[in-house]
Amino acid sequence: FTQWNCSYCAPWNPLELGVVQALGVDSVVNIKYHVWWPGANNDPFYLWNSSEAAARANYYGVTGVPDGYLDGRTSISQSTASFRNQIRSRCNTPAPCTIECIACASTATTVDFAGTINAVDSALTNTQLFAVLISNEEHATGGTNGEVDFYNVFRDMWPNSNGQTINVTLGGSFEFT
């Protein structure tokens, strides 16, 4: 969670990006939700989809930025070495499933996607499925913290900010489009 007017976010965001890029997309992908505070509520990345961004900030109980979570559970450390170790530790935890997903932009405003979730290590019971669309890189001026390059910016969520509840038996699969 970040905001383009947040003076505390400006030094952290490039450090976080460096850790994420060094570990590679096979290890970690981050989603940068922009919020409506602490500065003026004019962050264009928040304004793209304010209802879902606000719902995620409220879900996590975010009261200050920068803030973040690994796998939606662990609050991140704002030390690059500790953050890197947190990611590596989570990478060593086996995933309960595999996910195969294919996405493509079918128009300038539409992204089609399909995928399969295979419950390989355990059943998935009352598990929330989210598909999140991010912009890899945006360039914008106007914020007060000096940042002009923004990475992995949240754009939209399918089916909505609550996700879709799925149940998959061990060895079973779930198809989504």
Side-chain angles (χ1 to χ4, degrees), residues 87-160:
I87 294 170
R88 287 181 176 146
S89 176
R90 288 300 303 153
C91 286
N92 290 330
T93 304
C97 64
T98 62
I99 302 173
E100 298 174 36
C101 187
I102 298 172
C104 63
S106 57
T107 70
T109 59
T110 303
V111 175
D112 294 320
F113 63 94
T116 304
I117 297 174
N118 297 299
V120 293
D121 286 341
S122 65
L124 303 174
T125 305
N126 293 325
T127 300
Q128 296 306 112
L129 170 64
F130 301 87
V132 179
L133 178 66
I134 60 174
S135 288
N136 289 338
E137 182 177 347
E138 294 289 338
H139 183 82
T141 59
T144 60
N145 73 0
E147 288 183 272
V148 294
D149 296 314
F150 301 89
Y151 298 90
N152 305 323
V153 178
F154 169 74
R155 297 299 299 260
D156 199 8
M157 188 172 287
W158 175 89
N160 55 47

